[in-house]
Amino acid sequence: GLFADVNDTGDGGTILIETKRLIVENGGNISASTFGEGKGGNLIVKASESVEVLGTATDGEFPSALFADVDNIGDGGSLTIETQRLIIKDGAQVTTSNFGDGNAGNLTVKASESIELEGVIAGTDNPSGLFTQVDEGSSGNAGNLTVETGKLTVLNGAQIASTARNASKGGELNINATDSILVSGSAPN
């Protein structure tokens, strides 16, 4: 993985990835999360052709992912993806979720051509998708989730979610698809 995480009181830095094509697979991850009191850094991906986040580690336990999560009292940074095509499949995730008491950052995806989200982790209902959510027992708020694309496809249990599972506030979910939106199918379990 690539990491710019915070584990104490200092603030995190920014991860900036500029490439033609970014592939994160087999449980690989890129993280600008905070596990301490400091503010998490930002994760910015600019891929002129595509970003593909695919599958899990071989044991199925760890999804391939792009993270800017909160797991303590520090606030999370933002996660931004700018590309032509975004593909997230087979349980992989892109997330600015909150598992602690800080506020989660915003998740912004701009894919000029298409976004394809499909499937779950094999043998489970754990979905592929885009997430800004607050876990049970956490007191911080979720970030906003913004999706801008031509064609949006969400298939077979995949999700786009800004969710609060307690008294916290969920973020705003804004989707602008200039061509089409297709939501179809369910998780196999």
Side-chain angles (χ1 to χ4, degrees):
L2 302 174
F3 303 97
D5 293 338
V6 174
N7 289 304
D8 205 340
T9 58
D11 291 343
T14 294
I15 296 178
L16 171 61
I17 298 172
E18 294 180 301
T19 186
K20 182 177 180 181
R21 185 175 178 209
L22 174 65
I23 301 170
V24 181
E25 61 184 354
N26 299 325
N29 60 73
I30 301 172
S31 174
S33 298
T34 179
F35 300 93
E37 297 176 19
K39 184 179 185 324
N42 299 319
L43 173 54
I44 302 166
V45 177
K46 297 180 179 183
S48 60
E49 186 178 290
S50 67
V51 174
E52 301 169 44
V53 189
L54 309 171
T56 65
T58 53
D59 61 7
E61 287 290 314
F62 300 101
S64 302
L66 303 177
F67 292 117
D69 290 343
V70 172
D71 201 9
N72 205 316
I73 62 173
D75 290 340
S78 63
L79 195 162
T80 303
I81 298 173
E82 296 178 9
T83 189
Q84 186 175 350
R85 292 186 320 274
L86 173 64
I87 300 166
I88 304 173
K89 296 178 76 171
D90 301 326
Q93 299 183 351
V94 174
T95 173
T96 60
S97 294
N98 184 350
F99 302 97
D101 296 328
N103 294 313
N106 296 325
L107 173 56
T108 303
V109 178
K110 297 178 181 180
S112 59
E113 183 180 303
S114 63
I115 296 174
E116 178 185 342
L117 312 175
E118 184 173 2
V120 298
I121 294 175
T124 76
D125 287 333
N126 296 331
S128 305
L130 301 168
F131 302 99
T132 60
Q133 53 193 358
V134 180
D135 195 46
E136 290 180 43
S138 301
S139 63
N141 298 318
N144 297 324
L145 199 165
T146 302
V147 175
E148 297 178 12
T149 191
K151 181 179 179 181
L152 174 63
T153 305
V154 183
L155 301 172
N156 301 326
Q159 298 180 3
I160 298 175
S162 179
T163 308
R165 291 185 172 88
N166 55 21
S168 299
K169 294 179 182 177
E172 293 182 9
L173 174 57
N174 297 294
I175 298 174
N176 180 2
T178 57
D179 183 16
S180 65
I181 298 174
L182 172 64
V183 181
S184 181
S186 62
N189 293 337

